[in-house]
Amino acid sequence: MKGLFTALIVSYDKDGEINEKGLREIIRYNVDVCKVDGLYVNGSTGENFMISTEEKKQIFRIVKDEVKDQVELIAQVGSINLKESIELAKYATDLGYGALSAVTPFYYKFDFEEIKHYYNEIINSVDNKMIIYSIPFLTGVNISLEQFAELFENEKIIGVKFTAGDFYLLERMRKTFPDKLLYAGFDEMLLSAAVLGVDGAIGSTFNVNGQRAREIYELANKGEIAKAREIQHETNDFITELLNNGLYQTLKEILKEKGVDAGYCRQPMKELSEEKVDTAKRIAATYF
């Protein structure tokens, strides 16, 4: 399960319904053009927290049907509805997903014992593996080194998607848990994480920028830091423009410029203005 995984974008039509044809085109672009090692399905980038349980199942099913066994698949099943998480864990496992992931339960101020119970309940309900999705700046949930050690007492919990800027904690985790999988979650910090020895990365910008991410990761692993730094600079120029214009909407516009029916974002996310669509086209022409 090592390598680069795209946090998969999902194509929705103007009414917010899943566009299966467009989703399949996004999948093919990631596998055939971006050449990623795997797909991380139904995460934040797929607008997961704005869709129903049945829609999540539909996306899991389409992705598996399109990919077959070409690349690795990780199913993000996390929810503050534990019953839904378990239902999705069973569904994705039955489909043949190689691993599960779950965001830390959010909104309510769950204590660590509640968080630990959540992860154990999900992964102990299936014959599969769990990757914790830690993204404190969105969830407000910080997990300490000692708490990660407690979670890892369950041997089915095999790693972490580490979407945080605490690189001291990341370094401590790499040293303390050499046999666990650590994935970088911030695309703009991929080089820094690679230098610390992560096992891969999971990124939203990999939907279009997967080839640069591959160069950064492989150059870092070969110790060619100066070359990797230049590509990270270029990547971060791209990411800065992307964030300024609207992250998910602009990624979809770039894919459209590449002939991919990437569709629209679900409300309450808004459509890009004509000016921002023009900016997205310029970004696509500049970087791709």
Side-chain angles (χ1 to χ4, degrees):
M1 299 294 289
K2 296 182 178 182
L4 301 181
F5 287 71
T6 294
L8 190 67
I9 279 177
V10 173
S11 180
Y12 300 99
D13 65 23
K14 281 204 169 189
D15 295 322
E17 300 300 318
I18 294 167
N19 173 6
E20 180 172 342
K21 172 180 173 292
L23 175 55
R24 288 181 183 273
E25 290 180 13
I26 292 168
I27 295 163
R28 291 261 54 92
Y29 192 85
N30 272 283
V31 174
D32 299 335
V33 178
C34 293
K35 305 287 187 183
V36 292
D37 299 302
L39 302 175
Y40 185 88
V41 186
N42 277 336
S44 310
T45 309
E47 300 164 59
N48 173 75
F49 303 109
M50 298 188 290
I51 61 177
S52 70
T53 305
E54 290 307 311
E55 287 170 320
K56 293 172 188 179
K57 288 181 178 180
Q58 183 182 353
I59 292 166
F60 283 141
R61 187 169 62 249
I62 292 168
V63 174
K64 181 60 179 177
D65 180 68
E66 184 64 40
V67 168
K68 304 293 192 295
D69 296 317
Q70 285 183 278
V71 297
E72 297 277 4
L73 295 177
I74 301 173
Q76 199 292 125
V77 300
S79 167
I80 57 172
N81 179 343
L82 181 55
K83 287 186 177 181
E84 181 193 42
S85 292
I86 291 172
E87 181 179 344
L88 291 172
K90 291 177 178 178
Y91 188 81
T93 298
D94 288 344
L95 284 174
Y97 276 67
L100 306 176
S101 183
V103 67
T104 49
F106 52 90
Y107 188 81
Y108 299 103
K109 301 294 184 182
F110 298 104
D111 65 28
F112 178 68
E113 287 305 313
E114 291 168 327
I115 292 169
K116 182 177 176 181
H117 174 74
Y118 161 89
Y119 281 112
N120 286 334
E121 284 291 298
I122 295 171
I123 199 55
N124 289 340
S125 72
V126 292
D127 182 15
N128 211 328
K129 304 175 288 291
M130 170 63 70
I131 296 160
I132 294 165
Y133 180 11
S134 178
I135 183 166
F137 85 104
L138 288 182
T139 62
V141 178
N142 288 284
I143 302 176
S144 69
L145 187 70
E146 293 74 21
Q147 289 171 338
F148 275 119
E150 277 195 53
L151 292 168
F152 289 148
E153 288 174 3
N154 186 331
E155 293 182 356
K156 297 172 77 175
I157 299 178
I158 62 168
V160 180
K161 181 189 177 191
F162 190 89
T163 308
D166 187 348
F167 276 51
Y168 173 63
L169 176 58
L170 180 60
E171 182 275 332
R172 292 289 84 191
M173 290 180 66
R174 178 71 296 163
K175 184 175 188 296
T176 307
F177 311 116
D179 298 326
K180 297 297 182 180
L181 293 171
L182 298 181
Y183 299 96
F186 274 137
D187 305 2
E188 61 270 33
M189 302 181 194
L190 175 56
L191 173 56
S192 304
V195 168
L196 289 176
V198 293
D199 299 291
I202 300 170
S204 57
T205 65
F206 299 174
N207 281 278
V208 297
N209 200 49
Q211 292 185 19
R212 283 193 188 90
R214 171 80 61 198
E215 289 182 86
I216 293 167
Y217 185 66
E218 292 185 352
L219 285 168
N221 285 334
K222 289 189 291 186
E224 298 183 34
I225 304 303
K227 289 183 182 178
R229 186 166 56 237
E230 288 305 309
I231 301 168
Q232 186 73 71
H233 286 329
E234 184 180 20
T235 290
N236 286 4
D237 289 342
F238 161 61
I239 290 174
T240 298
E241 294 208 56
L242 192 64
L243 294 174
N244 288 338
N245 203 57
L247 175 59
Y248 303 129
Q249 297 95 327
T250 304
L251 284 171
K252 290 184 179 187
E253 289 298 327
I254 293 170
L255 284 167
K256 289 177 189 177
E257 287 297 295
K258 294 298 178 182
V260 177
D261 182 10
Y264 303 87
C265 291
R266 286 185 70 135
Q267 295 181 16
M269 290 188 185
K270 61 187 178 184
E271 290 186 35
L272 295 181
S273 65
E274 288 186 17
E275 180 182 356
K276 288 196 170 186
V277 169
D278 288 341
T279 299
K281 291 179 179 179
R282 178 187 59 74
I283 294 169
T286 300
Y287 294 97
F288 303 102

